[in-house]
Amino acid sequence: MPTDVEHACFEAGIKFGSLYHQFAGTPVSPDSAESIGRAMAEAIENQPHCADVAVDVRTDRIADELASQSADYTELTGRFLDVEMRVEYADVTVRTAMEMKDDYPLMKLVSVED
Amino acid sequence: MPTDVEHACFEAGIKFGSLYHQFAGTPVSPDSAESIGRAMAEAIENQPHCADVAVDVRTDRIADELASQSADYTELTGRFLDVEMRVEYADVTVRTAMEMKDDYPLMKLVSVED
Amino acid sequence: MPTDVEHACFEAGIKFGSLYHQFAGTPVSPDSAESIGRAMAEAIENQPHCADVAVDVRTDRIADELASQSADYTELTGRFLDVEMRVEYADVTVRTAMEMKDDYPLMKLVSVED
Amino acid sequence: MPTDVEHACFEAGIKFGSLYHQFAGTPVSPDSAESIGRAMAEAIENQPHCADVAVDVRTDRIADELASQSADYTELTGRFLDVEMRVEYADVTVRTAMEMKDDYPLMKLVSVED
């Protein structure tokens, strides 16, 4: 049988995959960044064992992208997102984050405390 | 060549399909209903020719659904949504809405004014 | 009351917005391009009044993108898609397509025949 | 620092959340079930450490749903999906599955082998 630590890490991964693939592709601009960030956090916090989600939709990076294109909005993708989550399962606390690793938005397991 | 009226109606449809299929499946509860509704409206208003979007995520219907199941959240779907949009293309104004028709959430073309 | 032509154009837009926002963000590689293209077409053909959908997921453009990054897959987005659709509503036939306009994947109303 | 086992379980969760929230809400019928199932499996297999994904879109359950409604298609959701995945990270193999628990589609950690 998987342990509580293993279950906790699995649950933490589910939340990250859910957050990313539910919202990737959403039309986003600097003006709408705050509302989508809040909605992402509150939506994923509904999921079981999800204690806290913080999403910062990076208006600076969106503005940089818009400076080089003709449309005045773009699509939400990993390089516009700073995300931190805390999952609690039984007595285990798992912290995760998304950060850029070279050109790839890496979902990262930060710490597991039992 | 398609007319301005035809283009306006096409654009109005794009917005509705986008709104629905970007956000369907999002975890939602009565507490998170307001934030996802606002994010949906602001996201779609980024799209070209989209003058106004109003989204009411029906907490009453979500609460009814939760009363009959074991989890304390559910997935966003059409029967939880009242949506109205206004698209403006050239001199044409198109109004659309989503409403339940029997058991099916119907995306409806309400009026086209040239 | 909106006309059949107006309804037909609205329905054609719904299909395009649905196709794009359901599938944008899907992990895609040259090897998985064919299966996602077929699934997109068959999924949207389920929708009312949708007579035919053709999706070509451009493996050449995906390969170009992969050549300049570290990961061996990317996310599905408009510049990887050539799409054509035919919607039939009452006696009206609407043809639509997606094509690149500068750097923006434009959903285009091609023809409306009554 | 998190262990290989913890990373493996986190990665397994990511794949499940991704699969579910990318594709939930897709229009589906008995005829289109096979193509969406194949596309889901091939899309998620692109992700790092994902060794195998099997998706069975349950046409029997879709047909049951259609028997009680007016439309001839529905939206993809958890109760129509039987999913099994195998993730390999370093020397760890993680097996996961989705199955119904009462009325809730549970993403389940089946085994972790180091």
Side-chain angles (χ1 to χ4, degrees):
Chain A
M1 292 285 294
T3 66
D4 284 350
V5 163
E6 291 162 356
H7 276 119
C9 294
F10 179 62
E11 291 292 330
I14 290 173
K15 275 63 183 166
F16 237 122
S18 298
L19 179 142
Y20 196 86
H21 286 277
Q22 182 62 58
F23 295 103
T26 300
V28 70
S29 62
D31 285 351
S32 72
E34 186 184 352
S35 66
I36 190 70
R38 179 173 303 153
M40 293 170 77
E42 292 194 11
I44 302 303
E45 287 173 349
N46 285 317
Q47 293 188 327
H49 315 293
C50 192
D52 191 55
V53 179
V55 177
D56 182 10
V57 182
R58 295 284 299 266
T59 53
D60 54 338
R61 294 186 188 163
I62 294 172
D64 284 352
E65 172 112 346
L66 298 186
S68 68
Q69 66 166 52
S70 54
D72 58 359
Y73 73 101
T74 186
E75 294 179 10
L76 190 64
T77 189
R79 68 182 180 280
F80 302 140
L81 294 174
D82 287 347
V83 181
E84 293 185 352
M85 292 200 211
R86 191 177 83 248
V87 161
E88 300 190 343
Y89 183 97
D91 293 329
V92 185
T93 298
V94 177
R95 292 174 197 275
T96 61
M98 188 156 66
E99 59 184 32
M100 295 305 292
K101 183 187 175 184
D102 304 324
D103 57 351
Y104 183 81
L106 187 67
M107 298 177 194
K108 188 177 175 183
L109 185 59
V110 175
S111 70
V112 182
E113 297 167 52
D114 190 4
Chain B
M1 293 284 295
T3 66
D4 285 349
V5 162
E6 291 162 357
H7 276 118
C9 294
F10 179 62
E11 290 293 329
I14 290 173
K15 277 62 185 167
F16 237 121
S18 298
L19 179 143
Y20 196 87
H21 285 277
Q22 182 62 56
F23 296 103
T26 300
V28 69
S29 62
D31 284 352
S32 72
E34 186 183 353
S35 66
I36 191 68
R38 180 173 303 154
M40 293 170 78
E42 291 195 12
I44 301 303
E45 286 173 350
N46 285 316
Q47 293 188 326
H49 314 296
C50 192
D52 191 57
V53 180
V55 177
D56 181 11
V57 182
R58 294 283 299 263
T59 53
D60 54 336
R61 293 186 189 163
I62 294 172
D64 284 351
E65 171 111 347
L66 297 185
S68 67
Q69 66 166 53
S70 54
D72 58 0
Y73 72 102
T74 186
E75 295 179 10
L76 189 63
T77 190
R79 67 182 178 279
F80 301 140
L81 295 173
D82 287 348
V83 181
E84 294 186 351
M85 294 199 209
R86 190 177 84 251
V87 162
E88 300 190 343
Y89 183 97
D91 294 329
V92 184
T93 297
V94 177
R95 293 173 196 277
T96 61
M98 188 156 67
E99 58 183 33
M100 296 304 291
K101 184 188 174 183
D102 303 327
D103 57 351
Y104 183 80
L106 186 67
M107 299 180 193
K108 188 177 176 183
L109 185 58
V110 175
S111 68
V112 183
E113 296 168 50
D114 191 5
Chain C
M1 292 283 293
T3 65
D4 284 349
V5 162
E6 291 162 356
H7 276 118
C9 294
F10 179 62
E11 290 293 329
I14 290 172
K15 275 63 184 168
F16 237 122
S18 299
L19 179 144
Y20 196 86
H21 286 276
Q22 182 62 57
F23 296 102
T26 301
V28 70
S29 62
D31 284 352
S32 72
E34 186 183 352
S35 66
I36 190 67
R38 180 173 302 155
M40 294 170 76
E42 291 194 10
I44 301 304
E45 286 173 349
N46 284 316
Q47 293 188 326
H49 313 296
C50 193
D52 191 56
V53 179
V55 177
D56 181 9
V57 183
R58 295 282 300 261
T59 53
D60 55 336
R61 294 186 188 162
I62 294 172
D64 284 352
E65 172 111 345
L66 297 186
S68 67
Q69 67 166 51
S70 55
D72 58 0
Y73 71 101
T74 186
E75 294 179 9
L76 189 63
T77 190
R79 67 182 179 280
F80 301 140
L81 294 174
D82 288 347
V83 181
E84 294 185 350
M85 291 199 213
R86 191 177 84 248
V87 162
E88 300 190 343
Y89 183 97
D91 293 329
V92 184
T93 298
V94 177
R95 292 173 197 274
T96 62
M98 188 155 68
E99 59 184 33
M100 295 305 291
K101 184 189 175 182
D102 304 326
D103 56 351
Y104 183 80
L106 186 68
M107 297 177 195
K108 189 177 175 182
L109 185 59
V110 176
S111 69
V112 182
E113 295 168 54
D114 191 4
Chain D
M1 292 284 295
T3 65
D4 284 350
V5 162
E6 291 162 357
H7 276 118
C9 294
F10 179 61
E11 291 292 330
I14 291 173
K15 276 62 184 166
F16 238 123
S18 298
L19 179 143
Y20 196 86
H21 286 277
Q22 182 62 57
F23 296 103
T26 300
V28 70
S29 62
D31 284 351
S32 72
E34 186 183 352
S35 66
I36 191 69
R38 180 174 302 154
M40 294 170 77
E42 291 194 12
I44 301 305
E45 286 174 350
N46 284 317
Q47 293 189 326
H49 314 294
C50 192
D52 190 56
V53 179
V55 177
D56 181 10
V57 182
R58 295 282 300 262
T59 51
D60 54 336
R61 294 187 189 162
I62 294 172
D64 283 352
E65 171 110 347
L66 298 186
S68 67
Q69 66 168 50
S70 53
D72 58 0
Y73 71 101
T74 185
E75 295 179 7
L76 190 63
T77 189
R79 68 183 179 279
F80 301 139
L81 295 174
D82 287 347
V83 181
E84 294 186 351
M85 292 199 212
R86 191 178 84 249
V87 161
E88 301 190 342
Y89 183 96
D91 293 328
V92 185
T93 298
V94 177
R95 293 173 196 275
T96 60
M98 188 156 66
E99 60 184 31
M100 296 304 291
K101 184 188 174 184
D102 303 328
D103 57 352
Y104 182 81
L106 187 67
M107 298 178 195
K108 188 177 177 184
L109 186 57
V110 175
S111 70
V112 182
E113 296 166 53
D114 191 2

